[in-house]
Amino acid sequence: MKFSRIGSIAAVAVAATIVLSSCASNEAAAPSDSNSAAALTGTLAGIGSSAQGTAQTNWIKNFQTENPDVTINYDPQGSGAGRTAFISGAADFAGSDAALKDEELSGTFGKCAPDSKAIDLPVYISPIAIAYNVDGLTDLKLDADTVAGIFKGTIKTWNDKAITALNPDATLPSAKITVVHRSDDSGTTQNFAQWVSANAPTVWDAEATQTYPYKVGDAAKGTSGVADAVKSSPNSITYIDDSAAGDFGKAQLKVGDAFSTISAEGAAAVVAKSPLVEGRETNDLAINIDRKNTEANAWPLVLVSYLITCQTYTDPAVGTLVKAYAGYVASADGQTAAATAAKSAPLSTDLSSKVAAAIATIK
Amino acid sequence: MTAASAGTMTNSLTTGRLPKGTIWMLLLGSWALLALVFLFVQLAGGTTTFNLVGAIFLGTILFDILVFVISYLVEGVRRAKDRLVTSLVTTAFIVALLPLISLLYTVVLNGFARMIEPGFFSSSMRNVTDSGGGVLHAIVGTVEITAFATLISVPIGLLTSVYLVEYGRGVLARTITFLVDVMTGIPSIVAGLFALALFVLLTGQAGYRSGFGGSIALAVLMIPVVVRSSEEILKLVPNELREASYALGVPKWLTILKIVVPTSIAGITTGITLAIARVIGETAPLLIVAGFTSSMNYDLFKDRMMTLSVFAYDQYANQGPNSADYLNRAWAAALTLILIVMALNLIARLIARFFSPKLGR
Amino acid sequence: MTTPPFTLPKRKTTVRLGDRIFSSSTIVAGSIILAVLAAVTLFLIAQSIPALVAKQGTLPGITTNFWDYVGPLVFGTLWAALLALLISTPIAIGVALFISHYAPRRVAQVLGYIVDLLAAVPSVVFGLWGAKVLAPTIQPFYEWLNTNVGWFPLFSGDVTGTGRTILTVAIVLGVMVLPIMTAVCREIFLQAPRLHEEAALALGATRWEMIQMAVLPFARPGIISAVMLGLGRALGETLVVAMVLSPAAVVSFLVLTSQNPNTIAGNIALQYPEAFGLGVNTLIATGLILFVITFIVNAIARYVVNRRKAFSGAN
């Protein structure tokens, strides 16, 4: 008995040693000797928007491959958590689906030099789809009033007059519409609500916030929860980030007088034409999205996600690192990587140069 | 027969008995009957697929009723009650197993293929976006964080339960008993927020994240479970054993260490394993205080650490466009976690067997 | 010179050093628990105060005051936990009895092992299973219940399209707390005095009568403990509720609709990521309320246990 006791302790110890001494096969064992004298080193922590999650993973991968001595961790906890963490100094940068609010800007920021403020850099533009799961329905056209009606619960069945009027050729079931929306507060909900309330103000009478305003339909957590719910319930409809809309049918929306199909280009075009929020510092590029853009093929149902950094960091080393990373993110390479991986819309040339100029001033 | 059981006092010695095997025939019969019913429903177009779960569930309930009625007619009310409870208990077991088997089946089905792919146990997620990658970083994090949480909570929990059972009298003991119950109700996410606030306060860094903070959060959740389960077990040690020990002149503390604890060691290890199991799969508090990383980190006291449950959750919640890669990793990580706990359970059983005195049963 | 005061010779054997060290270390351990709990309470209260004293309409996302916000959540928390326990308690006792007194011994050991193992399935897996497997599977059954048993008040209302109702959550929670409740009950049942059981059987009792007379009275406090453990987990479970439930800010007893009352813990998990400023305080304040609820529920349970004074070997 004594022996087996010692034996089992030894076995545990051996197992522990094996686990602890092993190294992940995909990680370099020793810091690689870089030729460049100005090689970047260090660890950055970012917290924020889950919408950016996929894009951030890809950016981080490419940036870390380029600079093997750098580790960047991005927690896709959520925009609010990201801004809160950034303000308190818990994160070196934040990702947020909404620009910093005025009351947040009036305060101080943990990682920033005392007289410096944080800046919003738009880096991720993503179209939001109106996705549905109806058997046999491949082509659905909706206008803002109808969308508002469906999501407010006033249009209850698929063969409602409002829908059939817009889709005379489609075969619409008489089934009840199952509306699926986000149960957690989210930037996607806010952007969706902003678009509906701007275009169908008579129907959608609620304020556009991150919380879904009406007691209608089923709610699910996060983009993946919504996607699961729609996938498993026939005759359902939702608003969802295009990257997760996968095999669902995607409705065409009436923009101006014509119907436009969801596209990254259409989304980018809307953002490119939108004015900046006024009264901000020169390098703060918060965008006031023009939800009423009526150009052909425009897609004004779009989410813009920001990278929030300090203008000047207290620790210059962090500043250098953030500057390099943000520079990559906003570069053509970074934007293409995100577009491939997350179906986002690359920044327009004009906006991209503005962002680059702002990043160049980060210290 | 019916007249007899209604009129005179029934006696289990004189009433008839069901022939052996009747019960099993009944069970199979009612399953078959319900299967037939569901088959008809399916053929009639009521359902698209054969409802096996429904057939087993309803068949078992039909069986419960049949057993009671038949046994009541043949054997009288006392035996009928006994048979009813037997079949109900068995039903409970089957009902409990259905969702659990469904759950395990789902996890194994979705996770096993991915888990045995090369590299899953030997690489981290650094620089992995689509396929590939592994959970080594998460395994290391899970093991270190949970081990440290156990190291904190087992001594505190065990000593407290010893206090409550052997020493505690009066207000302090009553307060602790009560507060331990309250502590079991701390929502895990609050424990995480608390641990984070504590460390931010202690270190002065707003960005503090470490595996150690996760251990503290888990310990807060774990201690009450350890106390609660081991207290119940210690209470059940017969007083005769203690008195016999005192009578031999053994001091109280030695009596506790050598008599009371070893007698109940099997129950205590079960309790501790349950407590570990309770916290090893925690996600919300670790997400808050231990953070999130896709690279290796062996240092419990510095920087972010990944754990398997956070990993599984993250892979589910933040799927890229090729969601299958992410979901497979999530299920595989969940399966790995279950396997780790299974191994822990085995070890605990072995320990219990080595230490516990040999008793009948 | 005065004579030194007279002292009684101390008997060495009464208080041994080992005893003193051991007993004080157990007290220290107990006190640590008190300290931790006090710290958690302090933290909760300190963080809640800004939300509790905030003026009407200043809390982000809340039009009225904090209490109107937390009301439906309190209801949802209790309702979900109650449903979960209604499902799991009888089953847990049944399974524990099956393992301890019905199944053959060899089988019982294996079964006990399986149940312990299931206690270890992480909550995120229960969440995944509930959202991806259970909800879609059970939705047609809900429709059937709604059409055919809709006269029963709980099953009326507008039936869900996705199956993500509070009943689904309760089932998942019930399954989730089942292993831990079963494990505790089983250990208690196994400890029931063998002699009493054999005596009952020898007097001609059926197995059920034996269990009624010799096992259940002995195990009652243990069963209540097991239920309390299950309740604690069901009240505080975060991720499963967040992943499975389709919540709305309502007070509703209907269990088959899409508009379900949310639980406090689930709501924290859902809203914390996007909360900022006072919103964070509000969520922590709801956490404080949950804490108070747990406190009250436990006080009631303790009172019940104490009224039926337990049999205990150490009494």
Side-chain angles (χ1 to χ4, degrees), chain A residues 1 4-5 8 12 19-27 43 45 47 50 53-54 57-58 60-61 64-65 67-71 73-77 85 88-91 221 224-225 228 243 340-342, chain B residues 119 122-130 133-134 136-137 139-140 143-144 206-209 287-288 291-296 298 303-304 313-314 316-323 326-327 347 351 354-355:
Chain A
M1 186 179 135
S4 45
R5 206 187 299 177
S8 57
V12 169
V19 168
L20 294 182
S21 60
S22 62
C23 224
S25 54
N26 60 332
E27 291 190 23
T43 303
I47 300 179
S50 52
T54 313
T57 331
N58 283 279
I60 290 170
K61 169 193 172 187
Q64 284 180 164
T65 318
N67 307 283
D69 296 342
V70 175
T71 295
N73 295 314
Y74 182 78
D75 294 10
Q77 277 187 17
S88 71
K221 177 174 163 56
S224 44
D228 276 347
S243 62
T340 327
Chain B
S122 60
S123 47
S124 68
M125 286 296 289
R126 190 180 165 96
N127 297 350
V128 174
T129 47
D130 280 338
L136 185 61
H137 62 311
I139 293 179
V140 170
V143 170
E144 285 191 17
Y208 182 87
R209 294 282 190 286
L287 205 54
I288 288 172
F292 170 99
T293 178
S294 40
S295 309
M296 301 296 299
Y298 293 111
D303 286 339
R304 285 143 206 271
Y313 177 69
D314 172 64
Y316 166 75
N318 301 297
Q319 303 163 7
N322 301 325
S323 53
Y326 291 80
L327 281 177
I347 295 174
I351 292 177
F354 285 142
F355 285 88

Side-chain angles (χ1 to χ4, degrees), chain C residues 46-239:
Chain C
Q47 294 279 311
S48 306
I49 285 176
L52 293 176
V53 302
K55 281 199 203 71
Q56 181 143 342
T58 53
L59 295 174
I62 302 170
T63 44
T64 55
N65 62 15
F66 173 75
W67 302 106
D68 287 347
Y69 174 72
V70 85
L73 295 175
V74 170
F75 168 78
T77 307
L78 294 173
W79 183 226
L82 177 74
L83 286 175
L85 285 186
L86 279 182
I87 294 170
S88 60
T89 309
I91 296 182
I93 294 174
V95 173
L97 272 182
F98 182 79
I99 294 175
S100 66
H101 285 84
Y102 284 90
R105 210 175 118 196
R106 290 218 165 268
V107 182
Q109 272 182 346
V110 176
L111 294 178
Y113 179 66
I114 292 178
V115 170
D116 282 1
L117 183 65
L118 287 166
V121 176
S123 52
V124 54
V125 177
F126 277 104
L128 281 175
W129 177 77
K132 278 177 158 319
V133 180
L134 183 66
T137 318
I138 209 164
Q139 194 268 339
F141 177 64
Y142 286 170
E143 263 179 25
W144 181 87
L145 268 185
N146 184 254
T147 20
N148 296 309
V149 203
W151 47 266
F152 187 61
L154 294 189
F155 296 155
S156 58
D158 231 0
V159 73
T160 169
T162 57
R164 308 166 80 95
T165 75
I166 198 153
L167 186 57
T168 313
V169 170
I171 293 174
V172 180
L173 285 180
V175 173
M176 199 169 158
V177 298
L178 194 61
I180 201 163
M181 286 170 71
T182 308
V184 174
C185 285
R186 183 192 72 217
E187 290 299 326
I188 308 291
F189 290 156
L190 282 176
Q191 301 283 351
R194 207 68 208 278
L195 284 175
H196 294 199
E197 295 177 11
E198 282 163 4
L201 288 176
L203 287 172
T206 61
R207 184 142 51 166
W208 166 236
E209 286 162 346
M210 178 273 281
I211 290 172
Q212 246 181 333
M213 289 186 290
V215 179
L216 290 184
F218 171 83
R220 190 166 288 127
I223 293 176
I224 294 179
S225 275
V227 173
M228 293 319 292
L229 268 182
L231 181 66
R233 198 162 183 197
L235 281 178
E237 179 50 46
T238 315
L239 214 54

Side-chain angles (χ1 to χ4, degrees), chain A residues 56-305:
Chain A
Q56 285 280 3
T57 331
N58 283 279
W59 289 330
I60 290 170
K61 169 193 172 187
N62 295 344
F63 192 74
Q64 284 180 164
T65 318
E66 201 75 3
N67 307 283
D69 296 342
V70 175
T71 295
I72 299 176
N73 295 314
Y74 182 78
D75 294 10
Q77 277 187 17
S79 306
R83 291 203 304 276
T84 309
F86 181 74
I87 289 168
S88 71
D92 298 318
F93 65 90
S96 172
D97 297 344
L100 286 165
K101 298 173 196 324
D102 288 336
E103 67 259 31
E104 288 172 332
L105 272 173
S106 63
T108 56
F109 296 90
K111 290 270 177 174
C112 303
D115 53 344
S116 143
K117 288 290 177 202
I119 53 175
D120 299 298
L121 305 164
V123 292
Y124 180 80
I125 301 171
S126 176
I128 298 171
I130 304 287
Y132 57 88
N133 173 7
V134 179
D135 256 354
L137 183 63
T138 47
D139 191 19
L140 180 68
K141 295 188 176 70
L142 298 172
D143 61 12
D145 280 333
T146 321
V147 170
I150 292 173
F151 282 91
K152 196 188 174 185
T154 50
I155 298 175
K156 290 184 193 304
T157 53
W158 280 102
N159 57 0
D160 190 283
K161 267 181 293 186
I163 306 180
T164 46
L166 291 167
N167 301 277
D169 304 329
T171 41
L172 291 158
S174 61
K176 206 178 75 175
I177 301 179
T178 301
V179 172
V180 178
H181 60 86
R182 292 282 291 266
S183 60
D184 47 342
D185 285 358
S186 86
T188 313
T189 305
Q190 189 169 27
N191 279 283
F192 170 75
Q194 278 170 356
W195 175 77
V196 205
S197 59
N199 289 286
T202 48
V203 188
W204 195 272
D205 47 8
E207 209 184 326
T209 62
Q210 294 192 317
T211 315
Y212 192 79
Y214 299 116
K215 285 174 187 159
V216 170
D218 289 41
K221 177 174 163 56
T223 303
S224 44
V226 167
D228 276 347
V230 172
K231 202 178 291 171
S232 63
S233 14
N235 304 319
S236 54
I237 189 167
T238 190
Y239 55 91
I240 191 167
D241 198 275
D242 190 32
S243 62
D247 314 328
F248 303 139
K250 295 175 201 167
Q252 296 181 24
L253 289 181
K254 192 171 189 182
V255 175
D257 293 325
F259 287 96
S260 51
T261 312
I262 186 166
S263 71
E265 295 74 31
V270 169
V271 177
K273 290 279 160 57
S274 302
L276 295 179
V277 175
E278 284 169 18
R280 299 251 171 160
E281 301 202 7
T282 28
N283 290 323
D284 191 312
L285 300 175
I287 294 174
N288 202 349
I289 303 169
D290 178 14
R291 302 287 177 191
K292 292 189 169 176
N293 187 314
T294 53
E295 283 170 41
N297 293 323
W299 191 264
L301 181 46
V302 60
L303 172 146
V304 173
S305 198

Side-chain angles (χ1 to χ4, degrees), chain C residues 8 19 104 168 173 240 296 298 312:
Chain C
L8 275 167
D19 263 342
T168 313
L173 285 180
V240 164
I296 295 170
N298 276 296
S312 158

Side-chain angles (χ1 to χ4, degrees), chain B residues 32-165:
Chain B
L33 186 69
L34 261 292
L36 220 61
V37 168
F38 273 98
L39 200 64
F40 277 125
V41 171
Q42 188 197 351
L43 292 179
T47 53
T48 46
T49 51
F50 181 66
N51 194 340
L52 183 69
V53 176
I56 292 185
F57 182 71
L58 292 178
T60 315
I61 288 181
L62 177 70
F63 160 75
D64 294 340
I65 300 167
L66 281 181
V67 160
F68 182 73
V69 173
I70 293 175
S71 168
Y72 182 77
L73 293 178
V74 181
E75 298 178 318
V77 67
R78 282 180 61 212
R79 283 218 170 272
K81 260 190 201 161
D82 185 43
R83 292 229 190 253
L84 177 70
V85 172
T86 310
S87 58
L88 277 182
V89 162
T90 321
T91 309
F93 188 73
I94 293 170
V95 168
L97 278 189
L98 284 179
L100 295 172
I101 286 176
S102 155
L103 188 131
L104 280 188
Y105 173 76
T106 315
V107 176
V108 173
L109 183 77
N110 290 308
F112 188 69
R114 181 67 184 85
M115 194 182 76
I116 53 171
E117 266 177 39
F120 190 72
F121 291 116
S122 60
S123 47
S124 68
M125 286 296 289
R126 190 180 165 96
N127 297 350
V128 174
T129 47
D130 280 338
S131 55
V135 292
L136 185 61
H137 62 311
I139 293 179
V140 170
T142 299
V143 170
E144 285 191 17
I145 292 177
T146 318
F148 210 82
T150 314
L151 218 61
I152 299 170
S153 38
V154 167
I156 294 182
L158 259 186
L159 283 174
T160 305
S161 56
V162 167
Y163 171 76
L164 291 177
V165 176

